Amino acid sequence: MIDQAETSFTALDDAGLVARDAQEFGAYARTGGWAFGLKVARSVRPGGQSPDETPKVSAKEFAELADCSPERVMRYYKAWDRAADDGLVPHFEELAPGQEVELPDADVWLNYYVSRSSATSERGTAISEAAEAEGIRPTKALEVAENPTALRAAILADPSTARAARQALLDRVREDPELQAELARDVVRTDDLKKAVATESRSADRIGYVRQIAESGQIKTPAGQTVDAPLDVRQEAERHLSLLDELEDGEDTGEWATEAYDTMKNLVVETVEADPELRVQERRTKFYSSLQKATKAFEELTFDDAQDFYEDDMVQRLEELQQAIDSCLNALRKSTTPAE
């Protein structure tokens, strides 16, 4: 009797074990890694919670009970965390040990679980620190870094992603001389980019010209003099500058910059012409500037080996230059002689 009872009990136990295995297999077939992710999520306490606040254990303690590494436990933990952020599963704080919840399909698990060791590398550490500085999860940044082809596809397909990438690249360029040089080479080797840079540089210079008048209150005359700007000129510069500053990010400033620049240039000329004293000083400055350039050009001429390249035309042009200089001297001397 006893033997028969024990045999029956053993058979029932085996059947129960088989049934349990089948049920667990079915659950895993439907949910994949979510089944194990749930075990971690409902048993490992979130960061920031003390042991007194929850019956859950640390990832290290859970790993010791599971006879595996804490890193493996944390990969499941982080996968669940990312899915919770996307609203697929409850957050850790909503789960208690042993609690059952409806799990997503098995195929979705691979979108969140990444068997990754790069986070502990020097590169991974740098990416994680940058992600934390930007206020995002390091795991998201690491995922992007590990799949540059996906990043390229997103940049090519989505303007907002391209703008974000452009801004990040500009921030990086400021601290990376090597990348600066590489980008500069790319620009000069690409005709369209080279033209675009030249156009933007011209617009920036014109805006800088208007900004300088508005902020310093001074104008630079065509001859190169720096003088105080009349109040109406400065106010006009401030008006144009405010219009430029109100343009939306990404809006083409070329036409606005040209209009502002041309307006201020004309006002500067009018300012010079309206002031007799300034007008004379402007002509004097222009004369001295031209004289200095001519003197420098002449001083650069050398005749040590003139016999090797002598031509009659050279002598003729120098004689004409001498006559022009004599005419200038006579004109200047007459201007200093009192009229009879």
Side-chain angles (χ1 to χ4, degrees), residues 2 11 45 53-54 90 93 96-97 101-102 133 155 159 162 173 186-187 194 202 247 282 295 310 317:
I2 294 175
R45 65 173 176 263
E53 298 178 68
T54 175
E93 293 81 2
V101 298
E102 185 175 350
I155 292 173
V173 161
D186 289 339
V187 168
K194 188 162 59 175
R202 185 165 55 251
L247 294 177
E282 180 77 352
T295 302
Y310 170 82
R317 297 191 68 174

Side-chain angles (χ1 to χ4, degrees), residues 199-209 253 257:
T199 299
E200 290 300 320
S201 178
R202 185 165 55 251
S203 293
D205 289 343
R206 290 175 172 178
I207 293 173
Y209 176 80
T253 60

Side-chain angles (χ1 to χ4, degrees), residues 24 34 57 66 74 85 97 107 130 146 149 154 175 200 235 237 241 244 257 333 338:
E24 290 182 353
W34 294 114
V57 298
M74 286 306 297
D85 284 344
D107 293 343
E146 288 178 359
T149 303
E175 301 176 357
E200 290 300 320
Q235 289 176 339
L241 189 61
L244 289 164
R333 286 167 180 157

Side-chain angles (χ1 to χ4, degrees), residues 86-315:
D86 288 348
L88 268 69
V89 293
H91 285 279
F92 300 108
E93 293 81 2
E94 303 172 35
L95 296 170
Q99 183 177 346
E100 297 290 344
V101 298
E102 185 175 350
L103 297 173
D105 292 337
D107 293 343
V108 184
W109 171 253
L110 294 178
N111 294 337
Y112 294 93
Y113 178 80
V114 180
S115 179
R116 180 187 296 114
S117 60
S118 64
T120 58
S121 66
E122 183 178 347
R123 174 174 175 265
T125 300
I127 293 172
S128 297
E129 291 175 353
E132 290 173 357
E134 294 290 335
I136 63 172
R137 295 184 182 280
T139 49
K140 293 187 180 295
L142 287 165
E143 287 173 6
V144 172
E146 288 178 359
N147 198 343
T149 303
L151 176 61
R152 171 182 166 81
I155 292 173
L156 290 174
D158 178 40
S160 61
T161 303
R163 284 192 291 270
R166 175 182 61 82
Q167 187 57 56
L169 195 59
L170 286 175
D171 292 341
R172 175 64 185 266
V173 161
R174 294 186 181 98
E175 301 176 357
D176 191 336
E178 186 177 342
L179 183 58
Q180 289 178 16
E182 291 175 359
L183 282 177
R185 285 193 292 269
D186 289 339
V187 168
V188 298
R189 292 170 182 170
T190 308
D191 288 341
D192 290 343
L193 283 178
K194 188 162 59 175
K195 291 176 182 176
V197 169
T199 299
E200 290 300 320
S201 178
R202 185 165 55 251
S203 293
D205 289 343
R206 290 175 172 178
I207 293 173
Y209 176 80
V210 177
R211 188 180 300 279
Q212 189 274 332
I213 295 175
E215 294 179 354
S216 72
Q218 293 184 318
I219 57 175
K220 193 170 185 178
T221 68
Q225 296 184 84
T226 299
V227 298
D228 291 336
L231 180 60
D232 60 331
V233 173
R234 184 171 185 177
Q235 289 176 339
E236 184 66 8
E238 291 172 348
R239 186 182 72 82
H240 279 284
L241 189 61
S242 66
L243 291 174
L244 289 164
D245 289 340
E246 288 173 6
L247 294 177
E248 297 290 336
D249 290 342
E251 189 172 351
D252 184 12
T253 60
E255 184 177 347
W256 293 87
T258 298
E259 180 183 349
Y261 177 80
D262 290 344
T263 299
M264 298 313 303
K265 276 286 190 181
N266 290 334
L267 286 176
V268 169
V269 171
E270 291 174 6
T271 299
V272 172
E273 291 300 318
D275 186 334
E277 184 178 346
L278 181 59
R279 186 169 65 249
V280 171
Q281 189 175 350
E282 180 77 352
R283 292 167 63 187
R284 182 187 300 114
T285 302
K286 190 178 295 185
F287 180 87
Y288 270 112
S289 177
S290 299
L291 181 61
Q292 185 176 10
K293 291 176 183 177
T295 302
K296 184 177 180 181
F298 187 79
E299 288 174 346
E300 289 176 352
L301 295 175
T302 57
F303 303 93
D304 296 337
D305 52 352
Q307 68 276 6
D308 296 334
F309 56 82
Y310 170 82
E311 293 180 3
D312 291 340
D313 181 61
M314 296 179 184
V315 176

